[in-house]
């Protein structure tokens, strides 16, 4: 018999994980975080909420921190899609609305639960940076690059500062300001994004549809 294992043996030994169970565990993590915060979250509580054993959980994530980091990545707003609307105003409007929506609802509750812990947890802080800040910087850079190529604006020396103009007001509004309910946040998300749009456009030298955006 050769040293090469049959495909059947290889499949049995490399059995893929159940994606649905992974999603259930990450959803349970979010629910427990929303109820108890990071300090009150335990792997036992997450496993019980998901209806699995703690052994099942630990086969996927080796610690509470690893589980929370996975949940951060899974439930952060998806800003990877970068639609080209044909104008800088349109690109930034979609980005702002996406970011506002990402800081409300389930992902907003997750971020609120983790921000305090991130102040003294480097791994978690890096995960939140990857979820909150890096995608916005990438999207802004892409929108600005297209706008420069179209001749809408002049090249910018520091695109990251423009991303900060998107992130800062959104975080202040939705994560640091007390609101009566998540429902109010969700309803206010698009309006907040649209009110912020003219300021971001002026910062990059663009114009809004009314023609009064940008600096002379």
């Amino acid at each position: 018999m050769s040293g090469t294992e049959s495909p059947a043996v290889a499949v049995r030994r490399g059995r893929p994980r159940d994606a649905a169970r992974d999603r259930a565990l990450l959803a349970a993590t979010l629910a427990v975080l929303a109820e108890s915060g990071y300090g009150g979250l335990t792997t036992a509580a997450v496993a019980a909420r998901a209806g699995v054993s703690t052994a099942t959980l630990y086969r996927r994530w080796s610690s509470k921190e690893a589980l929370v980091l996975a949940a951060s990545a899974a439930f952060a707003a998806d800003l990877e899609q970068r639609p080209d609307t044909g104008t800088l105003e349109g690109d930034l409007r979609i980005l702002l609305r996406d970011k506002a929506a990402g800081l409300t609802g389930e992902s907003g509750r997750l971020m609120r639960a983790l921000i305090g812990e991130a102040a003294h947890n480097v791994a978690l802080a890096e995960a939140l940076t990857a979820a909150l800040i890096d995608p916005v910087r990438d999207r802004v850079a892409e929108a600005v690059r297209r706008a420069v190529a179209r001749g809408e604006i002049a090249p910018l020396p520091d695109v990251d500062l423009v991303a900060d103009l998107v992130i800062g007001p959104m975080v202040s509004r939705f994560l640091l300001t007390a609101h009566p309910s998540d429902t109010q946040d969700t309803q206010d998300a698009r309006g907040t994004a649209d009110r912020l749009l003219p300021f971001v456009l002026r910062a990059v030298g663009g114009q809004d549809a009314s023609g009064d955006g940008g600096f002379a």
Side-chain angles (χ1 to χ4, degrees):
M1 183 176 178
S2 70
T4 303
E5 293 181 334
S6 69
V9 173
V11 168
R12 284 197 300 270
R13 292 189 178 179
R15 184 179 180 181
R17 286 184 358 189
D18 184 344
R21 183 163 290 177
D22 285 2
R23 288 192 297 271
L25 282 163
L26 293 175
T29 301
L30 175 64
V32 176
L33 272 171
E35 292 174 0
S36 306
Y38 185 88
L41 181 142
T42 66
T43 53
V46 171
R49 178 68 64 98
V52 302
S53 68
T54 53
T56 296
L57 186 152
Y58 280 118
R59 280 197 294 270
R60 288 159 168 79
W61 298 284
S62 60
S63 66
K64 165 182 167 176
E65 182 180 81
L67 175 62
V68 170
L69 293 177
S72 299
F75 287 95
D78 181 8
L79 294 182
E80 293 304 314
Q81 299 299 318
R82 302 170 187 175
D84 184 354
T85 67
T87 67
L88 178 62
E89 180 186 9
D91 289 352
L92 289 177
R93 177 181 287 110
I94 291 175
L95 168 60
L96 287 163
R97 288 178 176 179
D98 285 352
K99 194 60 195 174
L103 292 178
T104 57
E106 287 186 343
S107 55
R109 289 196 297 274
L110 173 64
M111 295 305 170
R112 285 192 200 97
L114 297 180
I115 280 179
E117 176 66 20
H120 49 83
N121 184 320
V122 174
L124 188 56
E126 290 175 348
L128 291 183
T129 296
L132 275 173
I133 299 175
D134 291 347
V136 177
R137 286 179 172 162
D138 290 345
R139 275 273 292 271
V140 168
E142 181 69 13
V144 166
R145 184 193 64 75
R146 290 195 294 244
V148 170
R150 288 191 295 259
E152 287 186 76
I153 60 173
L156 298 177
D158 196 340
V159 177
D160 281 354
L161 288 179
V162 181
D164 290 343
L165 289 178
V166 174
I167 299 164
M170 293 292 185
V171 169
S172 175
R173 173 68 182 175
F174 294 115
L175 298 188
L176 303 181
T177 302
H179 294 147
S181 68
D182 285 334
T183 300
Q184 177 180 329
D185 278 352
T186 301
Q187 292 171 343
D188 191 40
R190 177 169 289 203
T192 297
D194 290 347
R195 289 194 299 273
L196 182 58
L197 177 60
F199 296 97
V200 178
L201 278 170
R202 293 187 188 108
V204 298
Q207 288 192 328
D208 59 27
S210 66
D212 61 358
F215 295 117

